[in-house]
Amino acid sequence: MEGNLNTIPLTELLELIHGHRRSGVLAVQVGPLPLSLRFSAGEVVGAAILDWEGLEALFTFPLHPKEGPFRFQPSPPSQEPPLLPFAALLGEWARVNDEWDRFRTLVDSPSRVLEAIRPKPPLEVFQGGKSVRAAAKAWGVPLLIAMERAYMGVREGDLYPLRRYAWYALRIRYQGRKGKTLEEYGQLQALLDGTRNLGEVIASGVPVGLVRRYLVQALSTGEVAPPGRGWLLRDLTWEMEKEGEA
């Protein structure tokens, strides 16, 4: 079974698979963002955006996209337990989607680096500049909780978004033949040699939007595959949406 979400909404597609108790893998692509859902007897037992797995990744994926190709590949049922009962999963997915939309009005992505203006607990973790993802790890809380704290901190004037992102620290070096994606971004070819991070590349005069678009394309094609590429791609596409680049 395959088609496009412009003819059947994603929620209806999910309910169709659930109602017929199908087992297999549903692959969905919305723009550059891929989602893989594993079903067993109609229940969702696995979800991933590239190497970012689980409910946290799933709930960042848009539940009501206007279009995007999909394909369902049947397979035998597994013994894996559901991530959540189906109805509860859809309800929580919708709720968390709404929360992400609200928090992103002030903080465009969890990769955004924030600085503490008034470092009162628990926001002192942002002193010196830290991304929301890094703060979530430092606090030991789910990413959505960290994003809510960051949102409240910015709204109350306790935090200030800096003009950089966690992915600025990424170093990319190609060996041998350059990938097709890199060839389309000639301005970057001489700079992505592994001797400088992406923040330094941007500081040299390369527009941040150009670097971001390159990363999205390279991650989508697999030409660049660092650990954490799933959450990195999700954050980059969020940033592009906010900047009107998508």
Side-chain angles (χ1 to χ4, degrees), residues 1-244:
M1 177 173 63
E2 58 186 301
N4 196 291
L5 299 176
N6 59 14
T7 60
I8 177 172
L10 179 56
T11 51
E12 290 186 20
L13 177 61
L14 297 172
E15 288 168 352
L16 181 67
I17 296 171
H18 173 69
H20 287 82
R21 295 181 57 81
R22 301 289 300 277
S23 298
V25 177
L26 175 66
V28 181
Q29 186 86 21
V30 174
L33 196 64
L35 175 68
S36 175
L37 287 174
R38 297 197 315 277
F39 284 84
S40 181
E43 297 291 337
V44 178
V45 298
I49 296 174
L50 298 179
D51 64 345
W52 188 21
E53 300 181 341
L55 289 174
E56 189 169 75
L58 172 62
F59 292 160
T60 69
F61 194 86
L63 182 57
H64 301 288
K66 294 181 179 179
E67 61 180 359
F70 69 83
R71 183 179 183 184
F72 182 77
Q73 184 67 43
S75 65
S78 72
Q79 300 302 313
E80 297 174 272
L83 296 179
L84 280 177
F86 184 77
L89 183 141
L90 279 190
E92 187 68 359
W93 191 348
R95 183 191 72 80
V96 175
N97 258 204
D98 289 343
E99 290 287 83
W100 276 112
D101 287 345
R102 180 165 67 93
F103 299 151
R104 289 183 55 251
T105 59
L106 296 182
V107 183
D108 54 352
S109 94
S111 284
R112 171 74 79 164
V113 176
L114 306 176
E115 176 62 85
I117 300 172
R118 295 193 292 267
K120 59 185 181 182
L123 302 181
E124 72 276 7
V125 72
F126 288 102
Q127 282 186 290
K130 191 181 291 290
S131 72
V132 180
R133 286 190 179 275
K137 186 175 181 180
W139 285 325
V141 302
L143 182 61
L144 190 69
I145 299 298
M147 194 70 171
E148 181 177 24
R149 291 178 183 177
Y151 166 83
M152 294 296 294
V154 173
R155 192 181 72 173
E156 299 299 323
D158 297 321
L159 296 176
Y160 179 77
L162 301 180
R163 297 183 64 180
R164 68 176 190 267
Y165 297 85
W167 52 265
Y168 275 34
L170 186 64
R171 292 176 184 266
I172 296 176
R173 179 166 63 91
Y174 279 90
Q175 295 178 339
R177 186 178 180 276
K178 298 290 191 296
K180 291 183 179 179
T181 299
L182 191 58
E183 291 174 357
E184 297 176 16
Y185 294 85
Q187 187 177 1
L188 290 172
Q189 286 198 35
L191 299 176
L192 297 181
D193 57 3
T195 64
R196 68 202 90 190
N197 62 36
L198 292 179
E200 292 167 329
V201 170
I202 291 167
S204 73
V206 179
V208 61
L210 179 69
V211 176
R212 187 182 284 124
R213 289 193 297 274
Y214 159 71
L215 280 177
V216 167
Q217 189 169 332
L219 288 165
S220 299
T221 60
E223 289 184 30
V224 172
R229 58 190 179 276
W231 66 255
L232 176 58
L233 180 60
R234 172 69 277 198
D235 286 7
L236 289 164
T237 54
W238 264 332
E239 293 159 23
M240 289 174 66
E241 291 168 14
K242 188 71 172 180
E243 294 296 325

